[in-house]
Amino acid sequence: MLSPINLLAVDNPLEHVIDQPIYGNWWFSNVTLMLVLGGLVAIVTLVAAAKRIRTGTTRSLEDYRTQGIWANMVETVCVYLRNEVFRPVLGHDTDKFTPLLWTLFWFILICNFFGLVPLKDVTGGLLGLNHGHGFGGTATQSVFVTAALALVAFVLINGVALARDPIGYLRHLTGGAPAYIWPILVPVEILGIFVKPFALCMRLFANMTGGHVVVAVMLMFIKMMVNAGIEKGGAYTAIGFAGSILPFVATIGIYFLEIVVAVIQAFVFTFLTCLFLGQLIHHDDELGHEAEHNEEATYLPGDTIHTH
């Protein structure tokens, strides 16, 4: 029987991050399967949470009380994102774009978390499914997936800005600079339009791929040390197992770091999409006016409040 280390560790650490066809058919690869699975899990779990969050019709206390740990966590995260992350950037447009931004965050987060479950190793190494390649992994470690997500953000950001105010969109390219600066500034701004989604794509791809490769390398070191000690036998066996302790501890630490990275990258992708959108639809310093008229603004003792 294969040991857990042999299941998780392979001679090539890139084996964990390279997409594989499902039984030779590339039209529905392993990454595609994980995308579909991630979408289904997101729908099922978030709808279940929403049913425990929404209020009823009896006007009783239970109608306003979120039920369950999962529903409370989802509500807390969503309210924080809307009030503390989206609203300062989008202002009065917050409620229009919050559902889409929430969807981006939860979908990316769930796809990232799938990569922390060794489904591919168990289904491939233990069960021998899909010619030994197995099923599982992180969909967001594929550059094609992150490029598609970045394309969605690109269309959202530029499509909304152009549809709302084409003149303002073009004016944004000049940055309010004098006309003689435009030949330099406009090409830079146009380049920036495409650099932003490219940065979104590569940041998510690199972070989700790099962490898994490091974990795979650590597991490979454990396998090499243990196997070398067993092959030589005698005292070398104990030395091999003792030497594997350090990479084993490092693997655990990196694995916990991967959990943090999965959350941070979902947040960063969503926040930057929100920020880029806010920059284009609020190109005339509306944020300053929004803060001026914000109903939730607070004033300290001694502040002078001007009324119009």
Side-chain angles (χ1 to χ4, degrees), residues 69-180:
I69 297 176
W70 171 244
N72 273 279
M73 190 193 76
V74 170
E75 182 183 34
T76 301
V77 172
C78 288
V79 170
Y80 170 77
L81 289 174
R82 182 190 63 192
N83 294 345
E84 304 298 330
V85 178
F86 303 155
R87 195 175 300 280
V89 177
L90 299 177
H92 59 273
D93 293 312
T94 301
D95 293 339
K96 296 178 183 178
F97 301 106
T98 290
L100 179 56
L101 294 173
W102 275 346
T103 303
L104 272 177
F105 173 80
W106 286 108
F107 178 71
I108 294 174
L109 181 64
I110 290 173
C111 286
N112 290 350
F113 277 156
F114 263 123
L116 302 177
V117 181
L119 294 175
K120 193 172 184 180
D121 305 283
V122 174
T123 57
L126 182 62
L127 302 179
L129 300 179
N130 192 24
H131 304 301
H133 297 300
F135 309 107
T138 311
T140 47
Q141 71 189 14
S142 169
V143 70
F144 298 104
V145 172
T146 59
L149 291 170
L151 180 61
V152 171
F154 174 82
V155 173
L156 169 67
I157 294 166
N158 294 278
V160 169
L162 276 170
R164 174 170 295 192
D165 187 4
I167 302 301
Y169 183 87
L170 296 176
R171 191 186 310 124
H172 177 81
L173 298 178
T174 66
Y180 61 84

Side-chain angles (χ1 to χ4, degrees), residues 3-283:
S3 68
I5 295 300
N6 286 328
L7 283 176
L8 295 174
V10 293
D11 294 330
N12 182 8
L14 294 180
E15 182 72 21
H16 289 269
V17 297
I18 296 177
D19 190 18
Q20 299 290 345
I22 294 183
Y23 292 107
N25 296 315
W26 276 106
W27 64 271
F28 195 73
S29 68
N30 187 62
V31 166
T32 308
L33 174 64
M34 297 312 297
L35 277 175
V36 174
L37 184 59
L40 291 175
V41 170
I43 292 172
V44 171
T45 56
L46 295 177
V47 168
K51 290 180 178 179
R52 293 175 172 269
I53 294 173
R54 67 180 183 183
T55 58
T57 58
T58 62
R59 300 293 180 180
S60 66
L61 180 61
E62 291 300 319
D63 289 339
Y64 297 95
R65 180 180 298 166
T66 302
Q67 301 174 357
I69 297 176
W70 171 244
N72 273 279
M73 190 193 76
V74 170
E75 182 183 34
T76 301
V77 172
C78 288
V79 170
Y80 170 77
L81 289 174
R82 182 190 63 192
N83 294 345
E84 304 298 330
V85 178
F86 303 155
R87 195 175 300 280
V89 177
L90 299 177
H92 59 273
D93 293 312
T94 301
D95 293 339
K96 296 178 183 178
F97 301 106
T98 290
L100 179 56
L101 294 173
W102 275 346
T103 303
L104 272 177
F105 173 80
W106 286 108
F107 178 71
I108 294 174
L109 181 64
I110 290 173
C111 286
N112 290 350
F113 277 156
F114 263 123
L116 302 177
V117 181
L119 294 175
K120 193 172 184 180
D121 305 283
V122 174
T123 57
L126 182 62
L127 302 179
L129 300 179
N130 192 24
H131 304 301
H133 297 300
F135 309 107
T138 311
T140 47
Q141 71 189 14
S142 169
V143 70
F144 298 104
V145 172
T146 59
L149 291 170
L151 180 61
V152 171
F154 174 82
V155 173
L156 169 67
I157 294 166
N158 294 278
V160 169
L162 276 170
R164 174 170 295 192
D165 187 4
I167 302 301
Y169 183 87
L170 296 176
R171 191 186 310 124
H172 177 81
L173 298 178
T174 66
Y180 61 84
I181 302 294
W182 292 0
I184 300 176
L185 188 60
V186 172
V188 172
E189 289 293 332
I190 293 176
L191 182 63
I193 293 174
F194 298 96
V195 168
K196 290 174 181 176
F198 178 77
L200 290 175
C201 166
M202 296 308 296
R203 178 184 290 106
L204 181 58
F205 161 71
N207 279 279
M208 298 315 301
T209 301
H212 291 300
V213 171
V214 172
V215 170
V217 170
M218 291 295 105
L219 291 172
M220 184 178 67
F221 286 158
I222 298 174
K223 176 184 176 182
M224 292 171 59
M225 291 180 180
V226 171
N227 288 346
I230 293 176
E231 287 178 3
K232 291 189 175 182
Y236 289 102
T237 301
I239 295 175
F241 277 97
S244 66
I245 294 177
L246 181 59
F248 178 74
V249 173
T251 301
I252 295 176
I254 294 172
Y255 205 83
F256 279 104
L257 181 62
E258 276 286 278
I259 297 175
V260 177
V261 170
V263 177
I264 290 177
Q265 290 307 312
F267 173 81
V268 168
F269 191 101
T270 307
F271 171 69
L272 290 180
T273 301
C274 172
L275 181 63
F276 297 153
L277 176 63
Q279 288 175 339
L280 286 182
I281 65 176
H282 293 163
H283 44 72

